[in-house]
Amino acid sequence: MRKELNLLKAGAYYEVKLLKNNPGVLALLVLRPYVALLLTYSLDRSGTLSSYFLQSLSLLASIDAVWDIAGLALLARWTGSLPYLSLTPSSLSSVLVLTYVPRYVIESLLKALALSPLLFLELAAPEALKIVLLSLFLVTLGLLPLLGFSMLVASATLAVKEDALWLEWVTPVLLLLAGVLYPVSLLPGWVRALSSAIPLTHLMEASAALLSGREGWAASLAAALALSAVHNAAGGLLSTRVERRLFKQGGLT
């Protein structure tokens, strides 16, 4: 337990120092939710500001989790620091995931605060505050399946020897599978099957259902939580195999 707490503290320390010493990074962080909101608005103008608010934060949370965890694994390999990460008392998957958790929490809070002025301009304060708290509730629950899914992508990144930026393909594929770019119901059956295995799909459905008053938001959240068990188990198993294979080969870079 102490090792896990140390990893969480290390992640929090890194994130706070990063944002404190890099105002440009902080500025981009608070501007990105507006870009995501414009994207969701341009793709579907039938929603409300509240729906765009929730969907933008869910979208960013999912994409950032995959990018940051898998990107850290890839960056560690490029910079030659992967052997040092692997030699810590914790497993490689624990290092990648637990050091990211504080970053996810801090950045989700900052993104919600950055967008919240729009809500307070349009809605009464109690209603705007309700939407902000609802968004934080959703992205916090969404962290569970996102960690396992992101670890799967990170393990796949380490398993292949190709160093090309194929990770860049993850974002458009996620957007397509989650129905952000195109209604999933109009896509082939195998694409719909893949879509149901993506945490972002259920987070977006839960966001839309909650605000519209439709039934099904609880089922969407339950599906996302169920995925967390599957993805975390698969991610942990694949990560262990990849780490053993890399050690056996005698080369982690």
Side-chain angles (χ1 to χ4, degrees):
M1 189 64 183
R2 186 173 181 179
K3 291 185 296 185
E4 286 75 14
L5 288 176
N6 286 336
L7 289 174
L8 291 171
K9 287 168 59 180
Y13 180 82
Y14 171 83
E15 181 67 9
V16 171
K17 288 295 181 182
L18 175 70
L19 297 178
K20 180 180 178 182
N21 297 319
N22 296 276
V25 174
L26 179 60
L28 287 175
L29 179 67
V30 299
L31 286 176
R32 287 182 66 240
Y34 287 92
V35 176
L37 188 143
L38 288 174
L39 172 65
T40 54
Y41 174 73
S42 63
L43 294 173
D44 178 11
R45 301 187 179 185
S46 62
T48 63
L49 180 58
S50 300
S51 66
Y52 298 131
F53 183 92
L54 273 180
Q55 291 179 0
S56 300
L57 292 182
S58 297
L59 181 64
L60 284 179
S62 300
I63 292 175
D64 287 354
V66 175
W67 256 94
D68 288 344
I69 293 178
L72 177 59
L74 197 58
L75 181 64
R77 181 164 68 181
W78 286 348
T79 59
S81 60
L82 190 56
Y84 302 100
L85 291 180
S86 302
L87 293 175
T88 60
S90 302
S91 65
L92 179 60
S93 60
S94 296
V95 174
L96 292 176
V97 168
L98 292 179
T99 55
Y100 174 70
V101 170
R103 182 174 192 176
Y104 180 90
V105 174
I106 293 172
E107 292 192 357
S108 294
L109 182 59
L110 289 175
K111 290 167 189 169
L113 291 176
L115 269 184
S116 59
L118 282 181
L119 287 177
F120 283 93
L121 285 175
E122 183 179 276
L123 303 173
E127 185 64 20
L129 182 60
K130 175 185 171 184
I131 300 299
V132 173
L133 295 176
L134 191 59
S135 69
L136 292 175
F137 168 73
L138 275 179
V139 296
T140 301
L141 278 184
L143 176 62
L144 295 174
L146 287 174
L147 287 179
F149 181 75
S150 301
M151 199 58 225
L152 271 176
V153 177
S155 298
T157 302
L158 294 177
V160 298
K161 296 181 179 179
E162 176 65 48
D163 281 342
L165 288 175
W166 62 269
L167 188 58
E168 291 184 356
W169 288 91
V170 169
T171 299
V173 170
L174 280 179
L175 295 179
L176 176 64
L177 292 179
V180 177
L181 299 177
Y182 200 74
V184 177
S185 59
L186 301 179
L187 297 175
W190 66 272
V191 178
R192 294 198 297 273
L194 283 177
S195 173
S196 64
I198 304 298
L200 176 59
T201 302
H202 303 288
L203 293 178
M204 297 294 281
E205 289 176 353
S207 301
L210 268 172
L211 286 177
S212 62
R214 287 190 284 111
E215 295 182 356
W217 64 268
S220 296
L221 276 182
L225 294 177
L227 280 179
S228 68
V230 177
H231 286 159
N232 281 293
L237 181 62
L238 182 59
S239 171
T240 301
R241 289 191 175 187
V242 167
E243 194 169 1
R244 286 177 180 170
R245 195 191 75 178
L246 292 172
F247 271 114
K248 187 176 180 180
Q249 291 174 344
L252 290 169
T253 61

